[in-house]
Amino acid sequence: MLSYDIVVIGGGPAGLAAAIEAKKNGVNNILVIERDRELGGILQQCIHNGFGLHIFKEELTGPEYAERFIKELCEMGIEFKLDTMVLDITKDKIVTAINTVDGLINIQAKAIILAMGCRERTRGALSIAGTRPVGIYNAGLAQRLINMEGYMVGKKVIILGSGDIGLIMARRLVLEGAEVIGVLARGSYAAGLGRNVVQCLEDYNIPLMLRHNIVKINGKDRVESVVVVKTDENKNPIPGTEEIYECDTVLLSVGLIPENELSANLGIRLDRNTGGPIVNESMETNTEGIFACGNVLHVHDVVDYVTQESQRAGRAAARYVKNEFVTNSEYIKTKPGNGVKYIVPQIVQIDNLKGPIEFFMRVRDVYNDSRIIVKLDDIKIRELKRQHMIPSEMERLVIDSRLLKEGSIMTVEICSGGEL
Ligand SMILES: Cc1cc2nc3c(=O)[nH]c(=O)nc-3n(C[C@H](O)[C@H](O)[C@H](O)COP(=O)(O)OP(=O)(O)OC[C@H]3O[C@@H](n4cnc5c(N)ncnc54)[C@H](O)[C@@H]3O)c2cc1C
């Protein structure tokens, strides 16, 4: 059996940053396992710019951002295995993986970092009626086919879902010569970042069709048309509003799901609001010595935050391996209150904190001129003003750890206008 101090599962930006940081913190024996043919994760197919604004103060493309970390990883001599799929992890930290060169491999790790990213929701999850013709793609798959494999997916396209991938692919398809009929959102606002609505749709005159949904896909061999309906304030179809749009391709951009089958099999507790593991301030899961970071933990919109969070996981894993980790039975729990969908981390062991602690959270709705209120056992400890908050933009919350008291519940809620 092979043996490593730290095994990182996933060679995307999360895995790369965690491995590099662990090495910088004194652990030499690290292995990164990646199932794809190269490192870099989803960034390799994101050839648009907009990456790295926070960390490098530069607008990089996805591959450029990834390259900086891949180069550093190689210069530091961190080992990695490509085309290698992790099949199983045990509580004793034995990782089972497979590839065509080594066959089935068992690796004993002292610590494991989960960095498997996320995958897209499919048509099956939406139950759209109709036949199963060629021409229905997930937006991320279409992005990979066009940007990495050199295949064009269609000529006349309709996109369901206004998340960032759908918006970016609308522009990409127009640039490649396709006609994009529109991007449909079931609700009354786009799910993606505001900057992507402007730069990907408005700049290219692509219609954003709010409160619309596809209810049926027609076509025998290839997609021929879709039936589109208007939706009410609860996103339900309004009968009698059906319209047929002719097209040869449907792109679905309807949400991402953290890739946690390995974690669930191992018995790692998952948060149903994030779809990722429940972690503490060190990004450690409920299984000692197993850490999680990046999109496997919760879906991020900006990769810079993935990097920062993963550096935190890498540092903690290194301290764990070096037996410097403070484990403390006393902790506080975080609780999403009114208007808050989730908060990460969910648990904070105060003895592990030296200075301020950063939380990531998402709101449930659109809020203007509002306040984020943080309470510890019903006593307000922090209030932050926000002009505009939307579910697609992750919020960061920095709290001075001296304000936190063991055994407490930290609730975060949103107050709009004069409420409170
Ligand atoms: C279309 C799109 C556009 C985006 N645009 C922007 C943008 O403009 N600006 C920005 O800052 N961010 C953007 N992002 C977000 C950013 O790319 C992601 O947040 C980031 O890539 C997440 O990093 P990750 O390492 O957690 O996951 P990933 O990049 O998904 O990497 C996870 C890796 O784990 C591997 N893996 C999974 N399971 C296994 C297994 N069992 N065994 C071995 N390997 C495994 C996968 O192959 C993958 O390489 C965008 C994302 C997408 C999808």
Side-chain angles (χ1 to χ4, degrees):
M1 188 173 346
L2 298 174
S3 171
Y4 284 87
D5 284 341
I6 299 180
V7 173
V8 180
I9 306 175
L16 294 173
I20 291 168
E21 196 67 13
K23 176 109 186 188
K24 283 183 182 163
N25 281 269
V27 176
N28 288 318
N29 194 14
I30 302 171
L31 176 68
V32 178
I33 304 181
E34 170 54 54
R35 68 182 169 192
D36 212 333
R37 62 188 181 217
E38 59 196 331
L39 295 171
I42 207 79
L43 293 182
Q44 296 292 11
Q45 64 184 60
C46 298
I47 61 169
H48 56 280
N49 59 359
F51 296 83
L53 288 167
H54 297 268
I55 290 190
F56 298 114
K57 312 282 179 255
E58 277 180 72
E59 268 206 64
L60 304 173
T61 64
E64 283 170 338
Y65 186 92
E67 194 193 353
R68 296 196 178 191
F69 291 89
I70 295 170
K71 203 163 163 258
E72 199 176 354
L73 187 100
C74 294
E75 281 167 2
M76 291 176 103
I78 297 174
E79 282 181 56
F80 57 88
K81 279 186 186 291
L82 300 177
D83 286 319
T84 307
M85 174 92 180
V86 172
L87 303 174
D88 189 41
I89 317 167
T90 68
K91 279 204 162 63
D92 306 330
K93 303 189 196 71
I94 296 173
V95 176
T96 303
I98 193 162
N99 66 31
T100 51
V101 178
D102 308 300
L104 199 68
I105 331 161
N106 283 322
I107 307 157
Q108 176 71 67
K110 287 185 186 154
I112 294 174
I113 300 177
L114 307 172
M116 292 91 75
C118 59
R119 61 166 185 270
E120 297 180 276
R121 281 176 81 214
T122 60
R123 177 185 178 183
L126 305 176
S127 306
I128 302 175
T131 47
R132 295 168 63 95
V134 172
I136 307 167
Y137 298 89
N138 275 23
L141 170 64
Q143 185 178 52
R144 177 157 184 135
L145 289 173
I146 296 173
N147 294 348
M148 291 181 75
E149 317 296 340
Y151 294 115
M152 186 55 178
V153 294
K155 293 186 180 134
K156 195 167 180 182
V157 187
I158 192 156
I159 302 180
L160 177 61
S162 55
D164 289 312
I165 316 180
L167 301 176
I168 287 161
M169 282 315 291
R171 173 179 65 183
R172 186 82 193 104
L173 284 157
V174 168
L175 290 172
E176 287 296 335
E179 180 192 344
V180 177
I181 299 169
V183 174
L184 277 55
R186 284 198 309 149
S188 49
Y189 55 86
L193 297 173
R195 71 167 198 230
N196 281 336
V197 174
V198 175
Q199 292 171 8
C200 301
L201 300 190
E202 290 173 14
D203 288 357
Y204 290 82
N205 293 323
I206 301 168
L208 173 63
M209 297 163 66
L210 298 174
R211 290 182 57 173
H212 281 80
N213 195 7
I214 295 177
V215 287
K216 190 163 180 241
I217 299 174
N218 301 315
K220 188 168 175 288
D221 298 321
R222 174 94 204 179
V223 172
E224 286 162 17
S225 65
V226 291
V227 180
V228 171
V229 289
K230 293 200 170 106
T231 57
D232 63 19
E233 59 283 0
N234 298 319
K235 301 181 183 171
N236 293 322
I238 302 174
T241 60
E242 291 82 2
E243 272 186 90
I244 292 184
Y245 286 83
E246 277 179 21
C247 56
D248 60 25
T249 305
V250 180
L251 247 56
L252 302 172
S253 176
V254 287
L256 300 167
I257 306 167
E259 185 114 14
N260 273 300
E261 282 68 25
L262 288 173
S263 328
N265 286 346
L266 174 62
I268 284 179
R269 274 183 65 212
L270 302 180
D271 180 336
R272 63 191 165 93
N273 292 320
T274 57
I278 291 176
V279 291
N280 64 22
E281 73 301 323
S282 309
M283 304 291 143
E284 188 186 30
T285 66
N286 67 317
T287 303
E288 200 198 287
I290 301 191
F291 301 79
C293 52
N295 277 358
V296 82
L297 184 58
H298 59 121
V299 175
H300 296 64
D301 32 77
V302 175
V303 75
D304 307 59
Y305 297 144
V306 169
T307 300
Q308 286 164 354
E309 180 187 275
S310 306
Q311 288 167 338
R312 209 185 327 173
R315 271 194 299 278
R319 281 171 58 210
Y320 177 82
V321 166
K322 294 190 293 171
N323 288 322
E324 293 169 8
F325 213 56
V326 186
T327 41
N328 172 9
S329 53
E330 293 296 330
Y331 54 83
I332 69 158
K333 278 186 175 176
T334 60
K335 187 174 149 201
N338 177 46
V340 177
K341 185 167 181 221
Y342 72 74
I343 308 166
V344 173
Q346 294 86 345
I347 292 168
V348 180
Q349 298 184 123
I350 298 170
D351 280 2
N352 268 327
L353 297 177
K354 292 206 175 69
I357 167 156
E358 189 178 50
F359 295 91
F360 291 111
M361 54 171 269
R362 276 185 201 274
V363 291
R364 287 192 179 277
D365 211 337
V366 178
Y367 294 95
N368 292 315
D369 296 323
S370 316
R371 286 162 293 155
I372 301 176
I373 309 286
V374 185
K375 289 179 180 166
L376 201 65
D377 294 340
D378 288 335
I379 297 165
K380 185 160 84 178
I381 56 166
R382 192 115 163 77
E383 178 175 327
L384 296 137
K385 283 193 180 151
R386 290 284 193 275
Q387 276 196 331
H388 186 60
M389 289 187 285
I390 49 174
S392 56
E393 289 187 21
M394 208 167 70
E395 294 289 328
R396 282 162 75 231
L397 195 63
V398 180
I399 304 284
D400 184 339
S401 54
R402 286 172 303 187
L403 295 172
L404 304 177
K405 204 165 71 275
E406 286 168 356
S408 308
I409 306 258
M410 189 187 95
T411 312
V412 182
E413 58 194 38
I414 308 301
C415 293
S416 35
E419 274 178 45
L420 187 59

